[in-house]
Amino acid sequence: MKVAMFSPALSGGWYELELARALAEGGTNVVLHTGPQAFRLRGGDDAPGWLAPYFGHRTQMRSYAPGPLRPLWRAARLAGYPLALARFVRAARRAHVVHVQFLSLPRLDVVALRGLAGRRPLVTTVHNFLPHDRAPDHPATRAHLALYRASTALIVHAEATRAALTGLGIPDDRITTIPFGAYPHVPMPPAPTDPLTILFFGEWRANKGFDVLLAAGDRLAAGGVRFRVLAVLRGDGPRVPMRPWLAIQTGYLAEEALPRLFAQSSVIALPYRVIDQSGVAILAHTLGRPVVASDVGGLGDLVRASGAGLLVPPGDVQALAHALGTMLDDPERAEQMGAAGRRYAQTALGWDAIAEQTLSVYERATRS
C-alpha cells in the first residue's frame, strides 16, 4: 500500500517521524511530505526513503530564527507554499491513501485535500479538534471542520475528541481511537537533581494555563512551601512579573536538551484549560516523570490509565496548588508515579502497535 502523509511544517514533531518510520519498517510504502524541520529533529541531513522534506526547504528554518530578516523569510516561505502544495497533490494522486496530520495554511490546504478526497481515501488524524486559541467562526476553524467532514476516516487520541466529532454528525464507525505514541529516541534522564523543581514546558498559549500555574505558585509561596518553577516557553506571550521561585527560558529547545531539562525537574505541571492530548504528557511518561494535570480531554484518561500523577479540575488554582504541594512533599510517591508512567509508555504506547492500528484504518478506508 502506498501512503502520502501530509504535515508541511512537521507540527507534531517526532509523532509524524516515528509513525512514518514504524509504518515503513513494517512494510508500508509511506512517504511523509514535510519540511526541513525533520532534519533538525533527526540530527542530520539524511533523508530516508519515507521522508520528503521539500515544504519550505530553504525558508522554513530561517523563518523561525529571530532577527530583522525573519519577516522576509516568512514571506518567502508563504510565497513558495503553493508550489510545494501542488507537488504534494501530484504525489498524492499516485498513492492509495492520503493521510493528513497537520495543516499549515488551512483554507488553502483544505481546498487541495477536498479535491483529493474525490480520488483517494482521505484519512485525517485529529490531534486537536479545533485550532488552538481560535474562535468557532474563525476561517481556520471552519476549514478544519470541512476537512473532518470530507475525510473517509478519522483517527483520534482521546474519547473526548471522538465525542466532539460525532457531535458534528460524523458517524462513529468512521472514527478510530489510537494512542499518541511514546518518544523512544529521547534518552532517559537521571534522577532529578532538585526534588523541588516543577517544569512547565510548551508553547505560550492561553489554553496551556500558565497563568493558572503562576497563581498556584503564589499560593504555595504564601504557604511557605519551598519549590521552583522552571518554565520553558515557545512563542510570544504577555510580560510576566517575575517571582523569586520562577525561572523562564524562551525560544526553541533542541531535542538533545530534553534529558538535561527533565533531569532538573521532579514533577511536570500541565494546567491546561483545553486539550485533546498532550505530547508533553507523553514525553513525561516516557522519561519517568510524574505529572500534575488538568482533567481535560484525553489527558485525564491517560493519567488515570497510567497512574503517573494527580488530576485537578481545569482552572482551579487552589486544587492545582494542593496537588503540586502534595507531590513535592512526598518525593517517594512522586518517584513511584513516574516509574508507573515509564512502564505505561513502554507497553501501551509502543509504535509498532500504533503502526499496525493505523494500517488497519488505511485498509478499511480503501474498502469503503
Side-chain angles (χ1 to χ4, degrees), residues 77-168:
R77 181 181 171 193
L78 181 64
Y81 190 85
L83 288 177
L85 183 60
R87 178 176 173 180
F88 169 76
V89 168
R90 289 194 298 271
R93 286 173 177 165
R94 298 190 294 271
H96 298 107
V97 174
V98 177
H99 188 173
V100 181
Q101 294 288 347
F102 286 93
L103 307 179
S104 284
L105 294 179
R107 285 181 289 179
L108 181 60
D109 291 342
V110 169
V111 169
L113 293 168
R114 290 178 73 181
L116 287 169
R119 298 168 176 261
R120 296 290 182 270
L122 187 63
V123 176
T124 298
T125 296
V126 186
H127 294 280
N128 304 295
F129 175 63
L130 297 178
H132 292 303
D133 299 337
R134 298 294 189 190
D137 60 346
H138 191 279
T141 302
R142 294 199 299 269
H144 279 81
L145 297 179
L147 174 63
Y148 303 157
R149 294 187 176 101
S151 297
T152 311
L154 297 156
I155 295 171
V156 300
H157 304 309
E159 292 305 310
T161 313
R162 176 193 289 269
L165 290 167
T166 56
L168 290 177

Side-chain angles (χ1 to χ4, degrees), residues 54-72:
Y54 57 84
F55 276 91
H57 68 290
R58 291 194 179 96
T59 56
Q60 182 184 19
M61 305 318 299
R62 290 183 172 98
S63 72
Y64 294 161
L69 296 180
R70 184 181 181 187
L72 295 178

Side-chain angles (χ1 to χ4, degrees), residues 116-341:
L116 287 169
R119 298 168 176 261
R120 296 290 182 270
L122 187 63
V123 176
T124 298
T125 296
V126 186
H127 294 280
N128 304 295
F129 175 63
L130 297 178
H132 292 303
D133 299 337
R134 298 294 189 190
D137 60 346
H138 191 279
T141 302
R142 294 199 299 269
H144 279 81
L145 297 179
L147 174 63
Y148 303 157
R149 294 187 176 101
S151 297
T152 311
L154 297 156
I155 295 171
V156 300
H157 304 309
E159 292 305 310
T161 313
R162 176 193 289 269
L165 290 167
T166 56
L168 290 177
I170 294 173
D172 186 73
D173 61 5
R174 284 170 52 190
I175 307 168
T176 303
T177 303
I178 300 177
F180 192 115
Y183 291 80
H185 61 283
V186 181
M188 182 71 178
T193 56
D194 183 354
L196 301 178
T197 296
I198 300 163
L199 175 64
F200 180 92
F201 174 46
E203 292 190 23
W204 199 326
R205 291 195 301 256
N207 74 298
K208 298 288 187 178
F210 182 51
D211 58 317
V212 182
L213 176 59
L214 292 178
D218 289 335
R219 279 181 176 262
L220 288 172
V225 178
R226 291 181 56 244
F227 71 101
R228 183 174 79 109
V229 170
L230 174 59
V232 181
L233 302 167
R234 297 192 300 270
D236 300 321
R239 186 178 297 276
V240 174
M242 292 304 297
R243 282 88 159 164
W245 44 265
L246 176 63
I248 294 180
Q249 176 182 331
T250 59
Y252 175 78
L253 183 73
E255 291 282 328
E256 57 268 21
L258 288 174
R260 175 176 51 81
L261 176 66
F262 276 74
Q264 300 175 59
S265 311
S266 57
V267 59
I268 314 304
L270 304 165
Y272 301 158
R273 289 185 171 88
V274 179
I275 199 75
D276 287 59
Q277 189 52 278
S278 166
V280 177
I282 302 297
L283 182 61
H285 281 62
T286 305
L287 300 184
R289 291 298 187 266
V291 302
V292 173
S294 297
D295 191 358
V296 292
L299 190 52
D301 296 338
L302 172 68
V303 175
R304 275 186 286 270
S306 67
L310 300 176
L311 293 168
V312 299
D316 191 328
V317 173
Q318 182 175 350
L320 179 62
H322 178 75
L324 289 170
T326 298
M327 197 75 79
L328 295 171
D329 191 52
D330 193 347
E332 183 177 349
R333 183 186 181 193
E335 183 179 355
Q336 291 171 352
M337 287 181 169

